[in-house]
Amino acid sequence: MEQTRVFDRIADDERLDTVGDALRRGVQAILRPGVVKDLLHGVFLGHPLHPALVQVPIGCFASAAVLDIGGSSREATRLIGLGVLSSVPAAAAGLADYADSQQDHRRVGVVHAAANSTALVCYVTSLALRARGRERAGVWSALAGLTFSMAGATLGGDLAFRRAVGANHSEQASRLGPADWCDLGPVEQFAEAEPIRRDAGEIPVLVVRRGGEFSVLHDLCSHMSGPLSEGKLTEVGGVDCVRCPWHGSVFRLDDGRPAHGPATAPQQRLDSRVRAGRLEVKTA
């Protein structure tokens, strides 16, 4: 499809990296790892926050267009005002996700952000024109804003559904992991407090030994499939965790839940046991 080829050309356009990389550095300089960043990623929800927040401004802007066409300009103005205000947290959440995405995703994200920013300028202009009594010009400015907003939403759909930005990249582990006990090798092969990768049936797993206990998680990070076995062990609130080497997501070793984003979905945890001096695992 021609539309798909357009999106792919955007994703392959290295000229966008100058703007994209500068934007990423700016976001990372302002938005440091912690409570606010986790909130904007949607860690507390278990899925990204940005797609939920954008429903408010898009709904307001689309409804305002219907009212404008129907001649209810005053009510449309109120909806546009609400849409502009609700765009702020939606954009903040989107920027948080953008800063922790892959480079080809960021290229599409730059154009997505540019379209939405242009839409926002059109809507702010529309409010200013309406305040001066120039209703007709305000309506046309709002309709231009809706056009850019829909273009931005289309690019957002490509990011979410074709490029799987925000999707749970560890979801398949529950279906592909071993349903029965699977041998991972002698226990002496697993050094104390060292991330080690093994294959359990059809999936790679992270194994961490702590004394006589073993923690086994799906090795591919739920955020962007980064190899957790190449990450570092850390502690969050006294709980042993592993940090993804790609984008810094932190997962609890005991249950796989994210302690810090950008990941929002948990890692699949596997049951483990030691039998005859060998470590065995199966899907929990």
Side-chain angles (χ1 to χ4, degrees), residues 64 67-68 70-80 130 135-136 138-139:
L67 292 174
D68 270 336
S72 301
S73 182
R74 179 176 298 179
E75 290 77 9
T77 300
R78 292 173 180 170
L79 281 173
I80 290 172
R130 292 165 193 257
E135 296 290 339
R136 186 176 181 84
V139 169

Side-chain angles (χ1 to χ4, degrees), residues 12-220:
D12 293 337
D13 193 342
E14 296 180 358
R15 293 173 297 179
L16 293 167
D17 292 343
T18 301
V19 175
D21 291 346
L23 179 58
R24 183 192 191 199
R25 289 193 297 270
V27 173
Q28 290 180 334
I30 296 171
L31 196 60
R32 308 301 299 172
V35 176
V36 174
K37 188 171 185 289
D38 288 343
L39 177 67
L40 291 174
H41 281 307
V43 174
F44 71 101
L45 282 176
H47 62 76
L49 180 61
H50 177 64
L53 291 181
V54 299
Q55 304 309 309
V56 180
I58 288 177
C60 287
F61 296 149
S63 299
V66 173
L67 292 174
D68 270 336
I69 293 172
S72 301
S73 182
R74 179 176 298 179
E75 290 77 9
T77 300
R78 292 173 180 170
L79 281 173
I80 290 172
L82 178 58
V84 169
L85 290 175
S86 60
S87 293
V88 176
L95 286 171
D97 292 341
Y98 170 88
D100 291 316
S101 60
Q102 306 288 75
Q103 191 162 51
D104 59 328
H105 298 163
R106 293 199 298 274
R107 291 167 185 161
V108 178
V110 165
V111 183
H112 169 70
N116 288 331
S117 297
T118 303
L120 194 58
V121 169
C122 289
Y123 280 114
V124 171
T125 301
S126 176
L127 290 175
L129 290 169
R130 292 165 193 257
R132 296 173 184 174
R134 300 175 61 186
E135 296 290 339
R136 186 176 181 84
V139 169
W140 282 110
S141 182
L143 291 176
L146 183 63
T147 301
F148 283 107
S149 180
M150 291 300 99
T154 303
L155 287 161
D158 179 77
L159 285 168
F161 299 110
R162 282 192 67 230
R163 304 181 194 280
V165 175
N168 178 5
H169 290 257
S170 184
E171 185 276 334
Q172 75 277 10
S174 61
R175 293 177 284 103
L176 299 179
D180 203 356
W181 292 107
C182 174
D183 182 82
L184 295 188
V187 294
E188 59 265 22
Q189 289 185 353
F190 301 94
E192 178 74 16
E194 179 181 332
I196 295 175
R197 183 188 184 277
R198 288 289 187 271
D199 289 324
E202 297 183 49
I203 65 170
V205 295
L206 161 74
V207 181
V208 178
R209 179 178 184 176
R210 295 171 291 168
E213 301 294 325
F214 289 86
S215 294
V216 184
L217 304 177
H218 185 217
D219 189 45
L220 302 183

Side-chain angles (χ1 to χ4, degrees), residues 252-269:
R252 305 171 192 271
L253 290 176
D254 56 357
D255 58 12
R257 290 189 297 121
H260 290 303
T264 57
Q267 289 300 116
Q268 174 68 38
R269 183 185 64 83

